[in-house]
Amino acid sequence: MADYDYDVLIIGSGPGGYVAAIRAAQLGLKTACVEGRETLGGTCLNVGCIPSKAMLHASEYFDAAANGAMAKMGVIVTPKLDLPAMHAQRLDAVKQLTGGIEFLFKKNKVDWLKGYAAFESADTVSVAGKSYRAKNIVVATGSNVTPLPGVTIDQNVVVDSTGALELAKVPKKMVVIGGGVIGLELGSVWRRLGAEVTVVEFLDSLLPGMDMDVRKEAAKIFKKQGMTLKLGTKVTGVAVKGAKATLTLEPAAGGASETLEADCVLVSIGRRPNTDGLALDKAGLAVNARGQIEVDHDLKTAVPGVWAIGDVVPGPMLAHKAEDEGIAVAENIAGQTGIINHAVIPGVVYTWPEIAGVGLTEDQAKERGEIKVGKFPMMANSRAKTNHEPDGFVKIISDAKTDRVLGVWAIASVAGTMIAEACVAMEFGATSEDIAYTCHAHPTHSEAIKEAAMAVTGKPIHI
Ligand code: FAD
Ligand code: NAD
């Protein structure tokens, strides 16, 4: 150690950085984590996964009371919205969870260096005017909102995801630019609380990257819930006057433009890696064309001793992917074999119903060879039917010759929980027959996964 301050210094305390820090300390390495925010936990805990789920969960209750779903089950209530209380429970969840990371840092003897880090050389960073030298440096600086050229986010009329979590009143007309995960989750929150929501999406389908059946079914469900979808349409301008915005929309394929009025505009067209201010060049590092830091399978960058994980490196921008990379990088640094299987990373959209998937889409699988597909509707699942949750399906894609499962896609009230079974199965190289012959508890939504697996060979019981 002699003249090193730390064995490992991690820049950023999101789910990538804080998990890496805790695992490194558990492995006996002297560890520091640099974070410039007031609280630990990164985007995910402060302004991402956690606060959005707090608003989604609370607004789901409101919607169930307001839209007649509760009345259908004999519970008659007229909901009254206390938005400040809804925001307070969101802030409480954030406070408790970010405080929990601070507790875990103390427990594991991880030093929190407060401030923003910049490289001075490949093994030294400066933080709040002090230099720290470390044998290993892990860049886990995450991502931030991609701006829409010419559109200013004022967090009042035109907001990003952070602003959309905190709206002080329910907008009358909300326009969401981008029909991806953030647009649909936060659009759902405000639609449930009473806003008229229009989603403008450049592509012909919502949710790029997901299976096409899922994308089409999701559009039908969101329309049925009252969202207006303008697909194949791009926003070319947003003019704000007082408390109103006027958006200019153009068909993506070209043609006449139209305008749309809104009192709230959410810009959710993607996220980009955080590398500004890091002085990567002083470490001898550069970013790729997408602004990401390239890493090899072991999460090593091109510079020895410098590693990178999470949203700042290529791959899906997801908290659990960042966490798994955090564990793997710490284990690799400690001389162990860190394991992460990038082919089995689930994606979940926490709308109602939830939308989840893992592995290849049907189109991707077809490109690689012959496949078999089994599908089972939630309408025929006894638990979903009993709970008045008829929308959605489970779809399993397997290799036609070996029957090995290549991808699983689901729209169901608890699809995000159900998909874990598919991940375990795929991690163990399961065939659809393995899933079909595994006993699933009755009555559960998960039985739909078993039935979809049975449908791969054409023999489900309940359809
Ligand atoms: P981040 O969480 O972005 O953390 C990086 C940290 O580094 C930040 O705290 C930042 O302040 C700090 N930092 C940056 N530069 C420096 C520097 N120079 N010095 C010191 N500190 C620095 N993912 C899911 O899997 N599930 C979800 O439900 C989900 N919901 C989301 C909802 C929203 C609204 C948003 C915006 C994102 C959501 N995500 C979700 C994505 C998820 O938040 C990210 O994938 C995840 O946080 C990435 O983790 P990370 O550790 O790479 O970076
Ligand atoms: P996204 O990439 O999911 O969706 C952005 C959408 O905007 C795309 O469909 C794109 O075609 C569209 N778009 C781009 N420019 C446009 C324009 N000018 N007009 C109309 N549409 C346009 O991005 P996001 O929703 O901002 O989310 C960012 C990241 O955060 C995602 O990578 C996601 O993985 C992560 N996230 C995950 C979760 C979750 O796991 N539940 C929740 C929120 C965010």
Side-chain angles (χ1 to χ4, degrees):
M1 266 294 277
D3 53 352
Y4 286 108
D5 297 297
Y6 293 101
D7 294 314
V8 191
L9 181 145
I10 293 148
I11 308 177
S13 73
Y18 87 72
V19 167
I22 292 171
R23 176 58 106 228
Q26 285 172 340
L27 293 169
L29 300 168
K30 188 169 184 224
T31 306
C33 183
V34 190
E35 176 56 65
R37 266 178 217 274
E38 302 270 298
T39 46
L40 299 171
T43 304
C44 175
L45 271 63
N46 288 283
V47 292
C49 325
I50 296 305
S52 60
K53 267 76 254 179
M55 293 304 281
L56 278 158
H57 185 65
S59 61
E60 206 169 286
Y61 276 87
F62 184 87
D63 198 31
N67 72 13
M70 287 177 76
K72 228 185 234 174
M73 292 181 277
V75 185
I76 313 288
V77 281
T78 307
K80 188 168 166 249
L81 180 62
D82 181 349
L83 190 53
M86 200 177 275
H87 282 313
Q89 60 89 40
R90 164 179 61 82
L91 292 170
D92 187 52
V94 169
K95 190 172 168 211
Q96 292 201 33
L97 290 170
T98 55
I101 308 299
E102 203 171 338
F103 164 80
L104 289 172
F105 271 16
K106 284 189 186 130
K107 183 179 159 202
N108 288 285
K109 302 196 171 39
V110 173
D111 289 347
W112 173 7
L113 306 179
K114 295 187 184 181
Y116 286 94
F119 280 97
E120 291 181 347
S121 69
D123 67 2
T124 305
V125 297
S126 68
V127 183
K130 266 187 87 177
S131 294
Y132 299 89
R133 191 159 176 241
K135 265 193 210 165
N136 296 279
I137 296 178
V138 181
V139 183
T141 48
S143 64
N144 63 73
V145 177
T146 304
L148 184 58
V151 177
T152 308
I153 291 174
D154 57 23
Q155 300 297 25
N156 181 29
V157 179
V158 184
V159 296
D160 61 14
S161 56
T162 303
L165 285 167
E166 296 171 350
L167 299 180
K169 62 177 202 279
V170 180
K172 203 167 160 330
K173 287 190 178 184
M174 180 177 204
V175 174
V176 173
I177 309 178
V181 195
I182 292 182
L184 294 170
E185 287 188 355
L186 295 180
S188 289
V189 166
W190 296 105
R191 198 270 309 148
R192 292 167 187 172
L193 299 181
E196 273 174 46
V197 175
T198 301
V199 177
V200 184
E201 166 57 47
F202 179 77
L203 300 173
D204 289 336
S205 296
L206 303 171
L207 295 170
M210 295 201 124
D211 184 86
M212 197 44 92
D213 271 351
V214 162
R215 296 170 70 181
K216 286 191 181 141
E217 184 72 10
K220 276 191 215 152
I221 293 172
F222 291 125
K223 269 194 216 159
K224 199 165 73 180
Q225 291 175 353
M227 271 191 191
T228 303
L229 305 182
K230 285 190 167 288
L231 303 177
T233 307
K234 67 179 172 192
V235 174
T236 53
V238 180
V240 178
K241 206 168 176 197
K244 292 269 175 248
T246 306
L247 294 95
T248 308
L249 315 185
E250 274 177 23
S257 63
E258 59 172 316
T259 57
L260 203 59
E261 304 277 306
D263 47 9
C264 180
V265 179
L266 164 60
V267 180
S268 49
I269 59 164
R271 292 180 62 81
R272 58 180 187 184
N274 277 333
T275 52
D276 284 356
L278 266 178
L280 288 177
D281 53 322
K282 293 205 175 141
L285 272 174
V287 294
N288 66 16
R290 304 191 61 197
Q292 300 156 326
I293 301 176
E294 293 280 350
V295 286
D296 67 10
H297 182 70
D298 295 331
L299 305 162
K300 284 181 181 144
T301 68
V303 175
V306 183
W307 313 68
I309 57 170
D311 280 10
V312 81
V313 307
M317 289 181 159
L318 295 172
H320 40 281
K321 177 253 192 191
E323 287 187 50
D324 285 7
E325 288 181 346
I327 291 176
V329 81
E331 293 179 349
N332 287 336
I333 288 170
Q336 301 183 353
T337 307
I339 293 168
I340 165 151
N341 180 2
H342 284 101
V344 182
I345 293 177
V348 180
V349 189
Y350 296 86
T351 46
W352 178 265
E354 291 178 348
I355 303 167
V358 60
L360 301 182
T361 64
E362 186 172 341
D363 290 341
Q364 288 167 339
K366 270 186 189 149
E367 273 173 27
R368 297 194 186 186
E370 268 185 63
I371 56 164
K372 292 182 291 183
V373 176
K375 223 170 146 181
F376 188 80
M378 292 314 290
M379 179 102 85
N381 170 272
S382 59
R383 186 64 180 278
K385 204 166 169 57
T386 308
N387 288 4
H388 310 276
E389 299 161 349
D391 290 333
F393 57 81
V394 175
K395 172 174 173 178
I396 296 189
I397 302 153
S398 80
D399 183 284
K401 284 198 197 82
T402 64
D403 190 32
R404 191 173 171 148
V405 176
L406 302 174
V408 178
W409 297 89
I411 301 189
S413 57
V414 289
T417 304
M418 288 161 68
I419 205 70
E421 167 186 353
C423 297
V424 174
M426 286 176 68
E427 202 58 67
F428 279 79
T431 60
S432 74
E433 191 183 50
D434 290 329
I435 299 177
Y437 283 101
T438 300
C439 189
H440 286 63
H442 175 76
T444 58
H445 296 83
S446 292
E447 286 174 287
I449 295 193
K450 178 184 169 99
E451 292 260 19
M454 292 162 93
V456 172
T457 49
K459 293 192 177 65
I461 297 292
H462 293 96
I463 43 169

